[in-house]
């Protein structure tokens, strides 16, 4: 029975009826707030390409997390800026590394806040790649050892979840067995499973000072043209023990989020990355878009695509808007 019996607009006539039939909604429970931590004290250095984002020293980070906890954002995702870098990225797994110190301090002050640690070497290596370099190539298996060691040091510092973002083959399995061997059987792994080699990471690399010094990441991150490959990557990570799988970036990869959700029905995270954030901020600063509405539309769209967890630099402001009922 088509028109005139069928009139889809009937279910749109007022806000109450729209609320009744709404299929998806964003909640504060869905959000993860990424933070950048550096050594020192009293520091909040703005990231020029990411308005509203700062690199915090641990003391200032702790002050900022008070609002995050009050807003009931369940989790943060930490990125570290080491004091110095070397070829083996030793700052990543140093017992007194910036992340290890930060996690201990955060868990002491806010035991209920979930701390997810991004696990990668690119912020810690002097060459800026996510693994060990031999003959200008990122070698896979030697990198696994360092990643597993880093995971254990994060868990030892009190990390609630480990999020490997390096895209080496076999890293989830290596990390899982290292965690288990060291008694961290209940520490989940959220794997950056379908992580694309994306130009949308540009602002992040300013923030984390992690741009590769030579070449690019195409020999380990995925080709943006591929989606079947994402399914294979996710399957491998699940087989290796990933608890949550991630698609990254989010906006140009909504189809991949949906396919992963449909294919595996497992918890899926999507990373609304730095370039996606900065584009919105730049347009908003120019008065070209309604920032609040655009942000909420983007985050709800990512959920509708199939994400259970949305990692976003907008988390704090989105949580405020949700609290205030927009
Ligand atoms: C580290 C890492 C990156 C991001 C998260 N973890 C950068 C990269 O792979 O170059 C990007 C996050 C963002 O753009 O917001 N490997």
């Amino acid at each position: 029975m088509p028109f005139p019996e069928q009139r889809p607009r009937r279910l749109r006539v007022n806000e109450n009826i729209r609320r009744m039939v709404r299929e998806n909604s964003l909640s504060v429970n869905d959000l993860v707030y990424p933070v950048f931590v550096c050594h020192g004290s009293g520091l909040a250095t703005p990231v020029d390409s990411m308005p509203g984002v700062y690199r915090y020293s641990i003391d200032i980070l702790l002050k900022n997390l008070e609002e995050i906890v009050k807003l009931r954002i369940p989790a943060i995702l930490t990125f570290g800026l080491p004091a110095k870098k070397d070829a083996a990225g030793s700052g990543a797994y140093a017992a007194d590394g910036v992340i290890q110190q930060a996690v201990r301090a955060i868990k002491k002050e806010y035991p209920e806040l979930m701390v997810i640690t991004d696990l990668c070497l690119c912020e810690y290596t002097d060459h800026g790649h996510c693994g060990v370099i031999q003959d200008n190539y990122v070698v896979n298996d030697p990198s696994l050892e360092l990643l597993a060691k880093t995971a254990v040091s994060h868990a030892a510092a009190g990390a609630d979840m480990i999020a490997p973002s390096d895209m080496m083959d076999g890293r989830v399995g290596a990390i899982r067995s290292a965690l288990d061997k060291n008694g961290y059987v209940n520490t989940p792994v959220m794997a950056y499973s379908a992580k694309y080699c994306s130009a949308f990471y540009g602002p992040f690399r300013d923030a984390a000072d992690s741009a590769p010094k030579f070449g690019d990441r195409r020999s380990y991150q995925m080709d943006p043209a591929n989606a079947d490959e994402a399914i294979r990557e996710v399957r491998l990570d699940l087989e290796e023990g990933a608890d949550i799988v991630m698609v990254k970036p989010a906006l140009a990869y909504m189809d991949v989020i949906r396919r992963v959700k449909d294919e595996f029905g497992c918890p899926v995270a999507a990373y609304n990355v730095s370039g996606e954030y900065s584009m919105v901020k730049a347009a908003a600063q120019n008065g070209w878009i309604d920032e609040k509405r655009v942000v909420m539309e983007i985050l709800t769209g990512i959920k509708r695509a199939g994400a259970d967890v949305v990692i976003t630099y907008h988390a704090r402001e989105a949580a405020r808007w949700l609290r205030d009922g927009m």
Side-chain angles (χ1 to χ4, degrees):
M1 250 192 310
F3 181 84
E5 287 81 2
Q6 289 287 342
R7 288 182 183 269
R9 290 183 57 195
R10 279 186 204 120
L11 298 182
R12 298 180 199 138
V13 286
N14 62 43
E15 179 56 14
N16 273 15
I17 202 161
R18 289 192 294 268
R19 277 168 55 200
M20 282 177 72
V21 299
R22 188 160 289 149
E23 298 173 35
N24 294 284
S25 59
L26 184 72
S27 144
V28 68
N29 302 330
D30 308 322
L31 301 173
V32 174
Y33 185 54
V35 296
F36 298 98
V37 202
C38 61
H39 286 288
S41 64
L43 297 174
T45 315
V47 179
D48 292 339
S49 53
M50 299 177 73
V53 173
Y54 298 81
R55 303 157 156 200
Y56 295 121
S57 54
I58 294 172
D59 54 335
I60 306 295
L61 174 66
L62 291 176
K63 290 206 179 97
N64 275 275
L65 291 182
E66 194 183 327
E67 190 194 1
I68 299 299
V69 172
K70 275 215 186 89
L71 285 166
R72 304 196 66 247
I73 294 174
I76 59 169
L77 174 65
T78 61
F79 295 95
L81 292 124
K84 56 182 194 329
K85 307 183 187 232
D86 57 34
S90 59
Y93 39 87
D96 62 347
V98 64
I99 287 300
Q100 289 76 2
Q101 288 186 36
V103 173
R104 275 186 238 117
I106 297 164
K107 290 308 294 184
K108 189 160 163 228
E109 187 119 353
Y110 306 107
E112 71 279 31
L113 178 67
M114 166 125 187
V115 179
I116 309 172
T117 52
D118 179 270
L119 167 53
C120 199
L121 297 177
C122 62
E123 296 115 272
Y124 305 90
T125 51
D126 51 13
H127 45 73
H129 278 287
C130 305
V132 177
I133 301 285
Q134 276 165 25
D135 302 324
N136 280 340
Y137 182 73
V138 178
V139 285
N140 196 86
D141 301 14
S143 304
L144 297 184
E145 238 169 86
L146 300 184
L147 292 165
K149 199 155 121 178
T150 307
V152 171
S153 83
H154 287 183
D160 297 294
M161 190 183 290
I162 310 289
S165 67
D166 53 282
M167 286 300 277
M168 296 302 119
D169 294 335
R171 81 278 165 73
V172 172
I175 289 164
R176 182 71 271 155
S177 66
L179 288 173
D180 290 355
K181 236 178 260 150
N182 286 274
Y184 302 109
V185 294
N186 281 327
T187 305
V189 173
M190 175 168 74
Y192 289 68
S193 301
K195 178 173 178 180
Y196 287 88
C197 190
S198 172
F200 285 98
Y201 308 152
F204 172 95
R205 293 180 188 171
D206 294 341
D209 185 27
S210 65
K213 296 286 179 293
F214 68 91
D216 53 41
R217 303 208 201 290
R218 279 183 245 208
S219 79
Y220 42 106
Q221 297 181 347
M222 282 180 54
D223 183 337
N226 297 353
D228 291 342
E229 187 188 5
I231 300 298
R232 296 197 296 275
E233 280 281 6
V234 167
R235 180 173 290 117
L236 287 169
D237 282 0
L238 288 170
E239 283 168 0
E240 289 175 34
D243 300 279
I244 302 176
V245 295
M246 193 195 302
V247 176
K248 176 186 173 191
L251 293 185
Y253 302 89
M254 293 285 217
D255 59 319
V256 179
I257 297 172
R258 172 47 57 196
R259 277 188 66 182
V260 168
K261 190 64 180 176
D262 286 347
E263 180 89 19
F264 300 103
C266 63
V268 177
Y271 200 141
N272 176 216
V273 300
S274 57
E276 298 171 340
Y277 171 86
S278 300
M279 289 195 304
V280 170
K281 287 289 170 188
Q285 283 180 352
N286 276 299
W288 294 339
I289 55 169
D290 178 335
E291 179 175 12
K292 212 195 249 188
R293 289 191 53 204
V294 166
V295 169
M296 294 312 247
E297 187 173 334
I298 285 174
L299 300 180
T300 306
I302 293 170
K303 280 211 71 191
R304 191 197 63 244
D308 304 284
V309 176
V310 184
I311 302 161
T312 178
Y313 303 95
H314 294 295
R316 185 201 299 239
E317 57 200 12
R320 284 183 193 143
W321 297 331
L322 287 166
R323 177 197 58 196
D324 301 340
M326 287 289 274

